[in-house]
Amino acid sequence: MKNLDTTLSALADPTRRQVVDLLRERPRRAGELASRAHTSGPAMSRHLRVLRASGLVEAGLSDEDARARVYRLRPERLRALQAWLDGFWGGQLESFKAHAENRPHG
């Protein structure tokens, strides 16, 4: 549950959610993420540090330029979040369906 708390805490910030959305498309450099998110380089560094600490993002070297650091998503944390949400909503939706099917139509 601690991993889930860390994931949700990291995703609580709108800029970090935007970074995750951008990284869903493809890996990107920090400068590109800062530009696309309309934030400063130092602010983006702080956001990326939180995302890395949460396990949502990892940094690696670029295939094109071995000196450049590129950030990519780590999907296993997102899968864990999805599993938790599915469990939560799955039960809620089943209960609603049973309730709706048992209501008299008027």
Side-chain angles (χ1 to χ4, degrees):
M1 197 59 135
K2 181 171 175 21
N3 286 343
L4 180 60
D5 292 344
T6 303
T7 298
L8 290 170
S9 178
L11 293 173
D13 182 89
T15 300
R16 290 194 288 268
R17 287 193 307 273
Q18 184 179 11
V19 168
V20 168
D21 283 339
L22 289 166
L23 293 177
R24 284 175 50 201
E25 297 170 2
R26 63 180 170 79
R28 297 175 190 263
R29 294 181 183 187
E32 181 183 358
L33 291 168
S35 175
R36 295 286 305 268
H38 307 291
T39 189
S40 69
M44 182 53 64
S45 291
R46 289 189 295 275
H47 287 300
L48 288 168
R49 192 174 317 121
V50 170
L51 289 168
R52 282 194 327 265
S54 74
L56 287 165
V57 169
E58 65 184 0
L61 297 178
S62 168
D63 291 337
E64 298 98 35
D65 182 355
R67 298 170 293 163
R69 185 176 290 182
V70 175
Y71 294 87
R72 26 181 89 70
L73 284 181
R74 295 186 62 210
E76 55 274 358
R77 281 291 168 88
L78 293 172
R79 282 194 287 270
L81 176 60
Q82 182 66 51
W84 180 78
L85 289 170
D86 288 347
F88 176 78
W89 285 111
Q92 296 293 322
L93 292 174
E94 288 172 19
S95 295
F96 176 74
K97 180 181 177 202
H99 174 74
E101 289 174 345
N102 290 324
R103 278 186 71 197
H105 296 286

